[in-house]
Amino acid sequence: MTLDEIKDAFGFFDSWEDKYRFIIDLGKSQESLPESDRNEHNLIRGCQSQVWLVADYDSSSNTMTLRIDSDAHIVRGLSAIVLACYDGQTPDAIIAHDMDALFAELSLLEHLSPTRGNGLRAMVSRIRELAHQHQ
Amino acid sequence: MNRSDFPILQSSADEPGFVYLDSAATTQKPNAVIDAVSNYYRTSNANVHRAAHKLSALATQAFEAARENVRAFINAGAVEEIVFTRGTTEAINLIAAVHRGALSVGDEILISHLEHHSNIVPWQMLAAATGARLTACNVLTSGELDLNDFHSKLSNRTRIVAIGHVSNALGTVNPIADIVSAGHAAGALVVVDGAQAVAHMPVDVSAMDCDFYAFSGHKLYGPTGIGVLYGRRELLEALPPWQGGGEMIEHVSIETSTYNRLPFKFEAGTPNIAGAIGLSAAIDYLHEQDWQILQAAEQELLSMCIAELQQMPEVQLIGTPKHRAGVVSFLVDGSHPHDIGTLLDQQGVSVRTGHHCTMPLMQHLNIPGTVRASFAMYNDADDVAKFAAAMRKTLTFV
Ligand SMILES: Cc1ncc(COP(=O)(O)O)c(C=O)c1O
């Protein structure tokens, strides 16, 4: 799902229930990472849930390819929103993107808070770090 | 007890109430505690045990009266046996640290797989520093200690037994008097982590006969940053001090110091005076209650909560101990605890999800964590009903 499609969908929600059903379905529709990628190296440990991130940089197209998984559906769904912003983008575009502003616009900012311990904030930081390395 | 004694739980038109089921993490505070802390700062703030002036005398009196109040609350033999700490964690670290000179290779420390990290890691550190071996008693799927395993791991090599009174993750009430007498029979010291017990049952350290007992004020309707280490006087006398600094000394020269008497020997630096006074107010508040009524009400809420969850086929209770206090832990088939906690939070129900600082227990039970609903004296049947309704709705999502 593209970022625009996600934003469109959010425009129609008038209850927290619609929103969370959407996020959970989005999470369920994400392809899982193969067991071999759910390893210690790719793991971002949250206090409550765990996130795995596989990131590749293709120098010929100057883009980053990202795949994400989590053991929690809601975190997978939220990760899908992060992916919609970052996957296939150049390092410059990733660094320029304001994730807090997007999550605020979607009224999801609380989930990006480090105090939630869901690993999402740490994942965004890790992706931005990698983008800096390839800038 | 009145729910209206707890200002944070009051709802209003623009602030709809929430259902607070996370008291095992920390309890809410009654006005009596909030006022005691505030009044202390307003009327008697001064450093203790130091100055010749009136305010300091007032503060010292209140601080030492708090210690006496704690002594009576757990029925310790003497006020010298009550050491104020930052909390349970600091109390256990203190006991572990002052035993560094007392253990060596060949000695053993016996804990259990039920323990909170703060009753595991300090013992790992003590084991690493001394060469002693750390062993852990197994836990049955019921969430109860495997007492056969406990007895088989207890031997004359065991120098310290450190066990929780009540499990924060599953609510299991351990047979602590039996554990203490078995530990003593083997010649070991027995340390009890009472963090989850003190708000749920009367605790009598003299009857229990333990050597050390640790708890936190904030889980007992008191402030954060204050806790208690009870220690048998002759043991505390013989142990070396822990932190060095002001208050804990009798005389200091550049070369050497002599140490203050108990309990000040273990209280280096300016203590948490306001915290101790707040804790004392919390104990006074508890004294106004009737334990029998509180415990009966809590058992009824726990039974109602369990009965509701048992009607939900997707829900699996984690731990079914015969004796339970404060806590119900569960999992939902096919869902991560974090999903359940997030959806309950959207409905104004506060529970805790995750490993509850008991990672070895989660590994032992082979689960990623649990959803934990925990209860305190201000919870009522309406809270359970709202929780159950929120759970039913949550299950339609996952
Ligand atoms: C059983 C148990 N032991 C120890 C602790 C640690 O208490 P504190 O963080 O107040 O030091 C807790 C609290 O989380 C607990 O539940």
Side-chain angles (χ1 to χ4, degrees), chain B residues 5 52 101 170 224 260 291 303 313 352 377 379 382 392:
Chain B
D5 295 342
L170 308 180
T224 53
N260 205 339
W291 272 118
S303 305
R352 170 108 182 248
M377 64 160 88
N379 291 115
D382 188 47
R392 275 187 214 97

Tab-separated table of all heavy atoms in Angstrom, chain B residues 5 52 101 170 224 260 291 303 313 352 377 379 382 392:
chain	number	residue	atom	x	y	z
B	5	ASP	N	-10.823	8.538	48.008
B	5	ASP	CA	-9.566	8.900	48.666
B	5	ASP	C	-8.417	9.014	47.669
B	5	ASP	O	-7.346	9.523	48.008
B	5	ASP	CB	-9.173	7.835	49.705
B	5	ASP	CG	-10.178	7.751	50.853
B	5	ASP	OD1	-10.951	8.708	51.031
B	5	ASP	OD2	-10.180	6.721	51.561
B	52	ALA	N	21.112	21.618	65.204
B	52	ALA	CA	20.572	21.828	66.543
B	52	ALA	C	19.270	22.615	66.490
B	52	ALA	O	18.697	22.926	67.519
B	52	ALA	CB	21.594	22.579	67.379
B	101	GLY	N	32.229	-10.420	51.058
B	101	GLY	CA	33.324	-10.992	51.834
B	101	GLY	C	32.958	-12.319	52.481
B	101	GLY	O	33.814	-13.002	53.041
B	170	LEU	N	2.738	-13.700	37.969
B	170	LEU	CA	1.627	-14.662	37.973
B	170	LEU	C	0.732	-14.551	39.199
B	170	LEU	O	-0.342	-15.134	39.228
B	170	LEU	CB	2.174	-16.097	37.873
B	170	LEU	CG	3.144	-16.375	36.721
B	170	LEU	CD1	3.583	-17.833	36.755
B	170	LEU	CD2	2.518	-16.035	35.371
B	224	THR	N	7.182	6.901	45.487
B	224	THR	CA	8.316	6.234	44.846
B	224	THR	C	9.602	6.688	45.538
B	224	THR	O	9.639	7.713	46.217
B	224	THR	CB	8.423	6.589	43.350
B	224	THR	OG1	8.430	8.012	43.219
B	224	THR	CG2	7.269	6.026	42.561
B	260	ASN	N	28.670	4.319	62.175
B	260	ASN	CA	27.538	4.620	63.035
B	260	ASN	C	26.841	3.315	63.444
B	260	ASN	O	27.006	2.272	62.828
B	260	ASN	CB	26.571	5.537	62.269
B	260	ASN	CG	25.725	6.382	63.193
B	260	ASN	OD1	25.548	6.044	64.363
B	260	ASN	ND2	25.186	7.459	62.671
B	291	TRP	N	-7.867	-5.902	57.191
B	291	TRP	CA	-7.236	-6.820	56.235
B	291	TRP	C	-8.201	-7.888	55.745
B	291	TRP	O	-8.186	-8.274	54.580
B	291	TRP	CB	-6.012	-7.500	56.854
B	291	TRP	CG	-4.728	-6.738	56.697
B	291	TRP	CD1	-3.942	-6.238	57.700
B	291	TRP	CD2	-4.057	-6.394	55.467
B	291	TRP	NE1	-2.843	-5.606	57.176
B	291	TRP	CE2	-2.884	-5.685	55.807
B	291	TRP	CE3	-4.328	-6.612	54.115
B	291	TRP	CZ2	-1.990	-5.202	54.855
B	291	TRP	CZ3	-3.440	-6.122	53.164
B	291	TRP	CH2	-2.294	-5.423	53.535
B	303	SER	N	-11.466	-13.689	41.413
B	303	SER	CA	-12.320	-14.786	40.928
B	303	SER	C	-13.223	-14.319	39.796
B	303	SER	O	-13.407	-15.031	38.804
B	303	SER	CB	-13.209	-15.324	42.054
B	303	SER	OG	-12.426	-15.706	43.133
B	313	PRO	N	-12.936	-18.265	24.852
B	313	PRO	CA	-12.186	-19.460	24.453
B	313	PRO	C	-10.762	-19.155	23.961
B	313	PRO	O	-9.891	-20.001	24.064
B	313	PRO	CB	-13.035	-20.058	23.328
B	313	PRO	CG	-14.192	-19.162	23.109
B	313	PRO	CD	-14.188	-18.069	24.111
B	352	ARG	N	-0.660	-4.139	32.096
B	352	ARG	CA	0.740	-4.211	31.714
B	352	ARG	C	0.895	-5.403	30.777
B	352	ARG	O	0.258	-6.438	30.965
B	352	ARG	CB	1.586	-4.383	32.971
B	352	ARG	CG	3.038	-4.699	32.739
B	352	ARG	CD	3.937	-3.524	33.069
B	352	ARG	NE	5.329	-3.848	32.785
B	352	ARG	CZ	6.264	-3.986	33.718
B	352	ARG	NH1	5.963	-3.818	34.983
B	352	ARG	NH2	7.506	-4.276	33.377
B	377	MET	N	-6.725	-2.118	46.406
B	377	MET	CA	-7.939	-1.961	47.219
B	377	MET	C	-8.979	-1.035	46.584
B	377	MET	O	-10.146	-1.129	46.905
B	377	MET	CB	-7.595	-1.466	48.628
B	377	MET	CG	-6.977	-0.100	48.670
B	377	MET	SD	-7.130	0.649	50.310
B	377	MET	CE	-5.687	0.057	51.145
B	379	ASN	N	-9.887	-0.977	43.429
B	379	ASN	CA	-10.612	-1.577	42.307
B	379	ASN	C	-11.925	-2.177	42.797
B	379	ASN	O	-12.053	-2.567	43.958
B	379	ASN	CB	-9.765	-2.666	41.634
B	379	ASN	CG	-8.568	-2.078	40.902
B	379	ASN	OD1	-7.429	-2.337	41.268
B	379	ASN	ND2	-8.831	-1.269	39.890
B	382	ASP	N	-17.093	-3.037	39.100
B	382	ASP	CA	-17.311	-2.268	37.884
B	382	ASP	C	-16.041	-2.260	37.014
B	382	ASP	O	-16.115	-2.335	35.787
B	382	ASP	CB	-17.710	-0.838	38.289
B	382	ASP	CG	-18.152	-0.025	37.098
B	382	ASP	OD1	-18.965	-0.553	36.310
B	382	ASP	OD2	-17.669	1.119	36.946
B	392	ARG	N	-13.718	-8.334	25.448
B	392	ARG	CA	-14.582	-8.945	24.428
B	392	ARG	C	-14.468	-8.171	23.121
B	392	ARG	O	-14.383	-8.748	22.046
B	392	ARG	CB	-16.035	-9.002	24.902
B	392	ARG	CG	-16.275	-10.238	25.729
B	392	ARG	CD	-17.738	-10.438	26.075
B	392	ARG	NE	-17.776	-11.044	27.391
B	392	ARG	CZ	-17.955	-10.374	28.522
B	392	ARG	NH1	-18.228	-9.082	28.497
B	392	ARG	NH2	-17.901	-10.998	29.670
